[in-house]
Amino acid sequence: MKMEITNEILAAYAEGKVSVEERNQVREYLMQHPSKLESVIAMMDEDYELELCDADDLFSVEKSGASSKVQSFSDIALSAAAFAPMPTDCECKQPILKKACSSVRKESFSERMNTLLDELDL
Amino acid sequence: MKVAFANRYKPLSDKEIVDKVITAPYNEEAAVYLLFDRYDPLLAKIYRDVFVNDSNWYEDCLDDLIIYLKGKDNDWERLRSFQWRCQFSSWLKPTAANRFKEIKPYLIGKIPFPTSIDNEDAHVQLPDDGEESYEAIERKVMLLEAIRELEDPDQKFVVVKRLEGYNSQEIAELMKKAWKKHGIRRIDKGHEIVPSAAYVDVKMSRAKVSLKEILCQMI
């Protein structure tokens, strides 16, 4: 019986925690959705969040008076509940993400996989 | 991003925190800690991968992720659906990435917001365009499984990061951070190893040998 391939099943597959039947179904799914291969590699990466720059360089907060790096629960909850876009004249400052500092990726993921397969010379 | 109440949840495992969130009366503070503090570095990385240089929408994405995980009945339906068959972070990565990609056109103004952004019909997954042959894709799937079977953690790290697009010098820098994160020290002939591009290249060469052996056994 064909099962739904959820993110959890893919993640369990990435960790090698699926049954033989599930593995076969995930294989079939990936054959039909090869764009998901990149996602599976990310799931295998236990250190995916590591960046070349330091965290402080990547994530800075404009301060207005008191430190705004620490947020209270009620601020965050209100924002989540409203899910309203920020008014342009809002005085409270948003955390700012800077772009990651790494070299430009010229090849696509698919090309990188093909390169590795070629290098394996099977 | 740090939250004022983090110390309350810091000692708890992911499962303990999620259980607090999904058990009535639903501890929303715990959910905020989980996403805004513990997994902030991961979600920030995913955000940068999706939005690249546009830094304006990170908090909106996190806010939306909380609403998304709550589901339309505000009972944390989607978080509840997680059955702990894998690490929480492994599930969170594609869940967040897919959601950020989904809301990106709305946030950057390309498409007006619908009445409900929670589109239950959104995930009809059609097969990809058949640009590659069946055999080519099959080889990639087998390679993926072979990478998973690599026993040397440094070999696996190097291969995964190479496929993510980093060069040897970048992988060495990331490896230093990974070792620091996990408290790893490697000693060779009495000297502490410091990851370098050369070390990465050696590991990559050995990884290829290991991968070939694994793939030959799989065929």
Side-chain angles (χ1 to χ4, degrees), chain B residues 165-176:
Chain B
Y166 295 101
N167 62 37
S168 295
Q169 186 57 48
E170 291 170 337
I171 295 172
E173 292 304 314
L174 290 170
M175 189 177 272
K176 283 181 204 168

Side-chain angles (χ1 to χ4, degrees), chain A residues 8 13 15 22 27 29 35 42 45 47-49 51 79-80 97 99 103 105 110 112 119, chain B residues 48-49 55 63 67 83 85 90 93 125 128 140 145 148 161 163-164 166 170 181-182 208:
Chain A
E8 186 164 0
Y13 167 83
E15 292 181 8
E22 287 171 332
R27 280 179 179 172
Y29 173 82
S35 59
D45 187 353
D47 301 302
Y48 185 77
E49 80 285 1
E51 292 271 18
S79 182
L97 284 177
K99 68 174 181 176
S103 58
R105 315 271 176 253
S110 181
R112 291 193 288 271
E119 288 172 1
Chain B
R48 272 188 290 272
D49 288 345
S55 59
D63 292 343
I67 295 167
Q83 294 173 357
R85 295 202 51 190
S90 298
K93 281 176 215 168
Q125 289 196 322
D128 293 357
K140 286 179 179 169
E145 293 191 9
R148 190 187 62 204
K161 291 301 184 188
L163 288 176
E164 287 176 359
Y166 295 101
E170 291 170 337
K181 171 185 158 188
H182 298 291
K208 288 179 194 173

Side-chain angles (χ1 to χ4, degrees), chain A residues 14-29:
Chain A
E15 292 181 8
K17 295 174 184 170
V18 290
S19 65
V20 171
E21 174 58 29
E22 287 171 332
R23 184 198 63 193
N24 291 340
Q25 293 217 26
V26 171
R27 280 179 179 172
E28 191 184 323
Y29 173 82

Side-chain angles (χ1 to χ4, degrees), chain B residues 19 21 35 63 78 87 124 159 161 170 173 177 187:
Chain B
D19 284 344
V21 176
L35 298 186
D63 292 343
R78 288 203 176 88
Q87 292 181 54
V124 175
V159 171
K161 291 301 184 188
E170 291 170 337
E173 292 304 314
K177 295 189 178 198
I187 310 288

